[in-house]
Amino acid sequence: MISDAKNLPESEGEAPAEPIAHAEMAQRELRPPIAASAAARFEQRFGRAPRWIVAAPGRVNIIGEHIDYNDGFVLPMAIERYTVIAAGANDEIRMTNDELQPNSSFDIGHSSLATVFSTATNDEVCIALDSPKRHAVPGHWSNYVAGALAGCIERGMRPGGFQAVIDSNVPVGGGLSSSAALEVASATLVEAMTGRQLEPAEKALLCQKAEHEFAGVPCGIMDQFASVMSRADHLMLLDCRSRHIEHIPLLDPAITVLIVNTNVKHELSGGEYAERRGQCESAAHKLGVASLRDARTPQLQARRQHLEPVEFQRARHAISEIGRTVAAAAALKAGNWPEVGKLMYASHDSLKNDYEVSCEELDLLVDLAREIGADGGVIGSRMTGGGFGGCTVSLVETAKVDSVVERLTGPYREKTGIEPGVLKSRPARGAHTIKD
Ligand code: GLA
């Protein structure tokens, strides 16, 4: 319990994150923690301190890309970037407003209404808690909130009417799962409000369903599991079939996880993700297996003529990437950094050539990282997330990270004319309640 939201301590995993723009790095200390900023915005808008504050992180995937929906292994971690929701019950309005009498008609209409304000877009929506609906504007941020609320309500969790402010420092559209962070923060808020904890896997699945049904994105389970279950200073090896999790320590201060945002997003047709999923499913079907998790390279080679060339390529990526992810987890545990680096580069090549989800900007950053090489301090680098823009993730020697950042961002800026974003992060803590 924290009584004064303005004086929130920087709790574990909630430290101010590295700013996104390289030029802003020096300003880091000046930024307020995002939780305090959410609390202040709530107070400003709704005229009282929030009763609940919850946070859920974005994630970066170290390796195992486009593998969750193939039932394989993925290795993400939460980043020190959070979506925070500060909220208060509608019935507090009556208690704090002298002009309103108890049981006034004001309360009745608001008991089942959520009024939610986003600091990012500066707009407010009202969600009917009896039956949360999709927003009329496709892709609207409130769909992630409404979807998570609907999932909780379906499970018998009944929050009373509330007001909330959403504040976030997870970059949007950068492939760092800002949408999962918003869904998971919303479900965490309902947990705080109702006092009922969901089982973590159930919570993540409820949020994934919100993404499918309210946002229309047929995503896998990685992002929501990472946002719910990540642990500070650990990578999360997730078996997407059994949903078993192994938390692998990443404690070595000599290693830094560096995320560089291309700041481009190529929305080719919007259907690329679903198309890849479909190609993997039809490849699995033609190989006679339930999913590509069950296929092996010799089997794929033997049945090559039964597959469309594109299905063959997609399957080759998935099968090899599952192997790389398991190998990378073992190499990480053994502290075998050169091997981890080799696997990351191989992952990128496979995503670029076989899975065809990279783009020129991502390839440029990975090529630059390769040129800098181990001598310059780069252990390994690859695109991360769904692709077609977004970020690369690199493992870098901490002592050389500033020089690596210069050597990546300078040529990138020069060749593309785009200012890249830079973010360093320790593996962070999953969703949690800050004030309840
Ligand atoms: C998106 C999806 C995830 C996963 C990645 C690719 O982030 O939401 O489920 O499939 O792409 O690894």
Side-chain angles (χ1 to χ4, degrees), residues 68-69 208 212 217-225 273 277:
D68 51 0
Y69 54 80
Q208 181 203 25
H212 287 190
V217 180
C219 64
I221 63 171
M222 171 170 70
D223 307 344
Q224 292 78 11
F225 270 68
Y273 186 89
R277 263 195 98 139

Side-chain angles (χ1 to χ4, degrees), residues 3-272:
S3 53
D4 184 357
K6 277 184 191 152
N7 294 323
L8 293 170
E10 281 168 20
S11 60
E12 178 199 358
E14 207 257 310
E18 292 282 351
I20 184 125
H22 173 47
E24 288 172 37
M25 263 183 183
Q27 300 292 317
R28 174 177 189 220
E29 307 308 331
L30 302 178
R31 292 214 166 182
I34 188 79
S37 135
R41 294 296 295 270
F42 180 89
E43 192 153 356
Q44 205 177 45
R45 190 160 185 92
F46 297 115
R48 64 192 191 283
R51 178 155 156 211
W52 301 283
I53 304 176
V54 296
R59 67 95 190 93
V60 68
N61 190 20
I62 301 298
I63 197 163
E65 214 65 80
H66 286 278
I67 290 306
D68 51 0
Y69 54 80
N70 284 307
D71 282 350
F73 290 87
V74 295
L75 192 61
M77 61 173 230
I79 54 172
E80 293 164 314
R81 289 290 185 119
Y82 286 88
T83 291
V84 171
I85 308 183
N90 283 348
D91 60 14
E92 292 164 6
I93 301 169
R94 180 183 59 197
M95 285 161 7
T96 56
N97 190 340
D98 292 343
E99 288 160 18
L100 287 168
Q101 298 305 310
N103 303 322
S104 72
S105 57
F106 179 84
D107 289 312
I108 297 163
H110 286 65
S111 60
S112 59
L113 207 61
T115 308
V116 189
F117 176 76
S118 159
T119 62
T121 53
N122 224 14
D123 71 329
E124 188 175 272
V125 295
C126 284
I127 301 170
L129 293 171
D130 299 337
S131 168
K133 297 267 181 308
R134 288 166 77 138
H135 195 278
V137 177
H140 195 270
W141 60 267
S142 65
N143 282 329
Y144 302 108
V145 180
L149 291 177
C152 292
I153 291 161
E154 244 173 55
R155 283 162 180 78
M157 299 165 86
R158 302 228 156 253
F162 66 93
Q163 294 173 312
V165 164
I166 299 168
D167 206 1
S168 179
N169 59 12
V170 184
V172 175
L176 299 176
S177 294
S178 57
S179 55
L182 182 50
E183 293 146 12
V184 172
S186 304
T188 307
L189 176 65
V190 179
E191 288 180 316
M193 288 191 296
T194 58
R196 189 179 137 196
Q197 301 297 306
L198 288 157
E199 196 267 312
E202 186 183 9
K203 180 174 170 184
L205 292 171
L206 165 171
C207 292
Q208 181 203 25
K209 190 169 171 225
E211 184 118 5
H212 287 190
E213 293 181 359
F214 278 69
V217 180
C219 64
I221 63 171
M222 171 170 70
D223 307 344
Q224 292 78 11
F225 270 68
S227 187
V228 172
M229 280 173 259
S230 288
R231 284 195 192 154
D233 294 325
H234 288 77
L235 304 180
M236 190 181 96
L237 179 65
L238 170 65
D239 178 338
C240 298
R241 172 170 276 170
S242 69
R243 296 178 188 144
H244 174 78
I245 289 174
E246 185 186 353
H247 295 281
I248 299 178
L250 184 64
L251 293 162
D252 191 344
I255 309 293
T256 292
V257 177
L258 177 69
I259 299 160
V260 181
N261 195 336
T262 59
N263 278 331
V264 298
K265 184 84 198 143
H266 302 291
E267 303 274 9
L268 291 183
S269 67
E272 297 285 344

Side-chain angles (χ1 to χ4, degrees), residues 70 279-280 283-284 287 292 295 297 300 307 309-321 354-355:
N70 284 307
Q279 289 161 339
C280 287
L287 290 170
L292 291 176
T297 303
L300 176 66
L307 272 67
V310 74
E311 290 166 344
F312 175 81
Q313 275 180 237
R314 305 306 188 233
R316 185 163 59 185
H317 165 73
I319 296 167
S320 61
E321 183 78 350
D354 273 349
Y355 221 66

Side-chain angles (χ1 to χ4, degrees), residues 37 66 73 119 127 149 211 275 325 357 359 372 378 407 436:
S37 135
H66 286 278
F73 290 87
T119 62
I127 301 170
L149 291 177
E211 184 118 5
E275 188 182 71
T325 306
V357 290
C359 63
I372 298 166
V378 180
R407 295 174 69 184
D436 68 1

